[in-house]
Amino acid sequence: MTEIDRGKLASLAGFATPAVLLVLTAAALVDGTFGWRGGAYLLAFFWIALGSAVAGGLVRVAAPDSWRSAGSGMVLAGTTGVVLFVVLVGAFLWALSTFTP
């Protein structure tokens, strides 16, 4: 396995870990797995996304060279999750503001 292959694999693993957590959190919201209210799932989704973006940034900056591509994957997954969260909250607020009973 070459150094480039290891970097790609580490980046994929760094992306897949928070992405799987975000997908499982969204699936738990739809299924009601833990019996939480909707806001608890949304907060969990937000903190997983934000935490993976921040942790990925820290790994990218402070970790040895072999871990930096994993940090890049975490930053990508976390940033995607935060953007998705902002878009969904914006769509919800827009729907509430244009609702006429």
Side-chain angles (χ1 to χ4, degrees), residues 10-72:
S11 183
L12 178 64
F15 177 81
T17 303
V20 166
L21 287 173
L22 292 171
V23 168
L24 288 176
T25 304
L29 169 66
V30 171
D31 189 35
T33 302
F34 301 116
W36 299 343
R37 297 190 185 267
Y41 291 107
L42 294 177
L43 278 174
F45 186 92
F46 174 74
W47 286 113
I48 290 169
L50 187 64
S52 65
V54 170
L58 290 174
V59 168
R60 183 89 176 115
V61 170
D65 289 338
S66 59
W67 284 87
R68 290 190 180 168
S69 58
S72 297

